């Protein structure tokens, strides 16, 4: 089945630095990818929709300049947390759907990235 | 906007017993899809079961089945013969386009 790979799985960074998280679709071309943030024992909160070749669409309340999204190819989307602060520490998950099958099939999720800002 | 509600933050079940997780949703769409995802301690999201709204027959996948009540906008998940490996956070999700809307989740504990 289709697979989405996310890297790194864990990252610790110093406050004020930037961190890049990659999300790759391995056996299908994803024109759209989704980035979520998840706090402990809570649901997935959609942060933004990444669109290949165009600007990402951010959800209300999500800072565009803080969470930079780039979808430069049909198999890769990146999320960069800029000038990270401890409150940005969280679990970040990406997902994508095979565009050939669309809404009626499952979304495939990356393994997630646990970000810790110290 | 579509919303998904899971009213049971936590549930527990004895091994080999049956448990039902509740989910309700709100939408004005007529064509949509519903899913149950499982998130074990590894935090990898895993699809458990899906249901197309236009199908009246309830979906089943081995020990997992749903009770889909379209008029009531209800989509519950029944787990039969519960196993220790079923312990996880379960999320109900709705989709009418490319994006998913998730419920708050239900933490399922399976007692040996």
């Amino acid at each position: 089945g289709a697979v989405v790979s996310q890297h790194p799985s864990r990252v610790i960074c110093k406050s004020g630095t930037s961190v890049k998280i990659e999300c790759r679709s391995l056996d299908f071309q994803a024109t759209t990818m989704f980035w979520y943030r998840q706090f402990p024992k809570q649901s997935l909160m959609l942060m933004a929709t990444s669109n290949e070749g165009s600007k990402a669409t951010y959800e209300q309340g999500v800072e565009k300049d803080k969470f930079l999204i780039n979808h430069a190819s049909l198999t890769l989307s990146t999320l960069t947390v800029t000038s990270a602060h401890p409150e940005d520490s969280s679990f970040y998950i990406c997902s994508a759907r095979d565009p050939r099958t669309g809404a009626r099939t499952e979304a495939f999720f990356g393994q997630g990235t646990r970000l810790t800002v110290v | 906007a579509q919303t998904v509600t899971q009213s049971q933050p936590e549930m527990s079940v004895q091994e080999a017993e049956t448990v039902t997780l509740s989910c309700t949703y709100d939408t004005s769409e007529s064509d949509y899809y519903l899913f149950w995802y499982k998130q074990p301690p590894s935090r990898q999201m895993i699809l458990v079961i899906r249901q197309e709204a236009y199908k009246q027959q309830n979906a089943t996948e081995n020990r997992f089945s749903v009770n889909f009540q379209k008029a009531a906008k209800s989509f519950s998940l029944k787990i039969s013969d519960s196993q220790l490996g079923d312990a996880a956070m379960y999320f109900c999700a709705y989709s009418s386009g490319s994006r998913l809307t998730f419920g708050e989740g239900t933490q399922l504990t399976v007692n040996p």
Side-chain angles (χ1 to χ4, degrees):
Chain A
V3 177
V4 171
S5 178
Q6 187 173 341
H7 178 81
S9 58
R10 292 175 179 265
V11 59
I12 301 173
C13 71
K14 291 185 177 181
S15 187
T17 62
S18 295
V19 173
K20 180 184 286 188
I21 303 169
E22 293 186 347
C23 181
R24 295 180 185 273
S25 56
L26 298 185
D27 55 0
F28 64 94
Q29 293 183 328
T31 53
T32 302
M33 290 185 175
F34 300 91
W35 287 96
Y36 297 87
R37 183 173 182 175
Q38 187 182 30
F39 292 104
K41 298 190 177 183
Q42 294 190 22
S43 189
L44 282 70
M45 180 188 77
L46 181 65
M47 298 174 64
T49 302
S50 173
N51 304 298
E52 188 271 332
S54 65
K55 290 183 179 180
T57 305
Y58 289 83
E59 296 298 302
Q60 192 171 7
V62 177
E63 298 177 61
K64 303 178 183 181
D65 297 331
K66 159 69 76 175
F67 300 101
L68 298 180
I69 290 173
N70 184 278
H71 195 150
S73 79
L74 286 170
T75 59
L76 174 65
S77 175
T78 60
L79 168 67
T80 301
V81 183
T82 63
S83 186
H85 291 283
E87 57 265 30
D88 298 324
S89 298
S90 191
F91 192 69
Y92 294 88
I93 311 175
C94 69
S95 79
R97 272 187 157 128
D98 189 331
R100 296 168 295 183
T101 50
R104 65 183 180 274
T105 58
E106 64 181 297
F108 297 97
F109 289 84
Q111 303 92 322
T113 298
R114 183 182 300 280
L115 171 64
T116 303
V117 184
V118 298
Chain B
Q2 293 82 13
T3 58
V4 179
T5 302
Q6 293 177 248
S7 58
Q8 306 155 316
E10 298 178 345
M11 290 284 283
S12 63
V13 63
Q14 288 295 125
E15 196 174 4
E17 297 294 310
T18 296
V19 65
T20 298
L21 308 184
S22 301
C23 172
T24 59
Y25 59 94
D26 187 26
T27 183
S28 58
E29 304 281 343
S30 58
D31 187 21
Y32 52 88
Y33 304 86
L34 297 164
F35 305 85
W36 279 96
Y37 280 89
K38 167 184 177 180
Q39 189 180 41
S42 68
R43 302 191 81 169
Q44 174 71 56
M45 295 287 283
I46 301 166
L47 178 69
V48 175
I49 199 166
R50 75 169 70 91
Q51 174 80 44
E52 293 91 341
Y54 64 85
K55 288 188 177 179
Q56 291 187 337
Q57 186 173 8
N58 289 325
T60 62
E61 287 287 342
N62 301 314
R63 297 183 295 108
F64 299 87
S65 61
V66 299
N67 183 1
F68 173 48
Q69 302 289 327
K70 190 172 183 178
K73 296 179 180 173
S74 170
F75 182 61
S76 61
L77 173 69
K78 185 172 82 171
I79 306 174
S80 303
D81 186 24
S82 296
Q83 300 176 0
L84 295 177
D86 294 334
M89 182 75 107
Y90 285 81
F91 292 101
C92 178
Y94 166 102
S95 175
S96 64
S98 59
R99 60 185 284 174
L100 283 168
T101 300
F102 288 95
E104 304 91 334
T106 297
Q107 182 68 51
L108 178 65
T109 301
V110 181
N111 300 309

